[in-house]
Amino acid sequence: SQELEQSPQSLIVQEGKNLTINCTSSKTLYGLYWYKQKYGEGLIFLMMLQKGGEEKSHEKITAKLDEKKQQSSLHITASQPSHAGIYLCGADDGNNRLAFGKGNQVVVIP
Amino acid sequence: NAGVTQTPKFRILKIGQSMTLQCTQDMNHNYMYWYRQDPGMGLKLIYYSVGAGITDKGEVPNGYNVSRSTTEDFPLRLELAAPSQTSVYFCASYGGTGGLEQYFGPGTRLTVT
């Protein structure tokens, strides 16, 4: 089965600083999905990456897919308190199902 | 559209009791999924369905049952609740075309004591 390792498990950043989190797959990535979860709430879809080298941005969040490394990174520029939460990556297992990593917990301090 | 809705939001069960977690989506999605999320463990797939009348086991199906009689509804049944089933349960749906973007419900927080 496909396993996704997310690193770092948790990080604390000061408001205004940049941060990067990573998601590494044990198998070839056919599609990589980033979600954000606030405590006690459901998952909100952020971005989908399907092609090697693909890069997408939304507001201050940029996600990249490195097909050779079987890895995706999510970069947040000038972090704000609204960026705090758990970021989960999910990979398409080829059968219309997503396998998820354990998440990156992000804390933004004023 | 309401999207994916789940009821109840919270529930406390005694060991051995049964309950059904409800999930409804109004997007006419064929694919529906049930996940459980334990602290620090990400999401584990319990059961999923590719359409009305079709269900299949995911990674952690033991202790659960599902049915899919309509496109909209995908209830999850716990027959004999055990403390190991204490978790947060999420339902999700997917349209079946394009990317595998799943839409998630707000979750049900279940405690079994």
Side-chain angles (χ1 to χ4, degrees), chain A residues 33 35 37 48 96-97 101, chain B residues 31 33 37 48 90 100 102:
Chain A
Y33 300 76
Y35 287 84
Q37 182 182 28
M48 170 181 69
N96 292 312
R97 300 175 305 194
Chain B
Y31 293 79
Y33 309 82
Q37 184 179 37
Y48 67 104
F90 289 101
L100 192 51
Q102 294 183 12

Side-chain angles (χ1 to χ4, degrees), chain B residues 2-112:
Chain B
V4 179
T5 57
Q6 292 183 239
T7 57
K9 288 188 176 181
F10 303 94
R11 183 73 185 268
I12 298 174
L13 279 183
K14 293 188 184 300
I15 294 172
Q17 286 185 323
S18 300
M19 77 164 294
T20 299
L21 283 68
Q22 301 292 344
C23 174
T24 300
Q25 54 91 8
D26 62 359
M27 298 172 282
N28 201 33
H29 284 173
N30 287 323
Y31 293 79
M32 295 187 74
Y33 309 82
W34 273 107
Y35 296 91
R36 61 176 287 171
Q37 184 179 37
D38 300 319
M41 296 301 292
L43 294 171
K44 299 290 185 182
L45 182 64
I46 305 172
Y47 271 96
Y48 67 104
S49 169
V50 301
I54 306 170
T55 63
D56 207 347
K57 296 177 181 179
E59 188 179 356
V60 289
N62 291 345
Y64 307 94
N65 279 300
V66 293
S67 60
R68 184 92 182 273
S69 56
T70 67
T71 299
E72 295 78 19
D73 301 306
F74 189 39
L76 178 72
R77 178 84 177 160
L78 282 72
E79 289 295 347
L80 292 170
S84 61
Q85 293 176 305
T86 293
S87 188
V88 181
Y89 292 85
F90 289 101
C91 178
S93 72
Y94 159 61
T97 59
L100 192 51
E101 178 186 342
Q102 294 183 12
Y103 293 83
F104 282 79
T108 294
R109 188 174 294 273
L110 175 68
T111 301
V112 181

Side-chain angles (χ1 to χ4, degrees), chain A:
Chain A
S1 61
Q2 187 159 24
E3 294 185 1
L4 297 173
E5 183 176 339
Q6 293 189 241
S7 62
Q9 186 175 357
S10 63
L11 71 162
I12 301 172
V13 296
Q14 196 162 19
E15 184 176 355
K17 298 293 186 183
N18 302 337
L19 69 97
T20 300
I21 54 179
N22 297 296
C23 174
T24 304
S25 173
S26 61
K27 295 185 177 182
T28 301
L29 283 168
Y30 296 105
L32 194 289
Y33 300 76
W34 282 102
Y35 287 84
K36 181 186 174 186
Q37 182 182 28
K38 290 194 173 181
Y39 179 77
E41 299 180 12
L43 279 69
I44 303 298
F45 173 75
L46 293 176
M47 273 175 263
M48 170 181 69
L49 303 165
Q50 291 187 300
K51 300 176 184 177
E54 187 172 13
E55 179 175 322
K56 287 187 177 178
S57 294
H58 177 68
E59 296 181 341
K60 295 185 177 182
I61 301 177
T62 300
K64 300 179 184 179
L65 180 62
D66 186 328
E67 202 171 46
K68 289 184 179 178
K69 291 184 178 179
Q70 296 179 175
Q71 183 180 77
S72 177
S73 62
L74 190 108
H75 182 78
I76 298 176
T77 304
S79 59
Q80 300 169 352
S82 61
H83 290 127
I86 299 174
Y87 291 81
L88 289 151
C89 64
D92 183 350
D93 72 352
N95 292 300
N96 292 312
R97 300 175 305 194
L98 289 177
F100 285 92
K102 294 182 180 181
N104 307 92
Q105 183 168 20
V106 173
V107 176
V108 180
I109 55 175

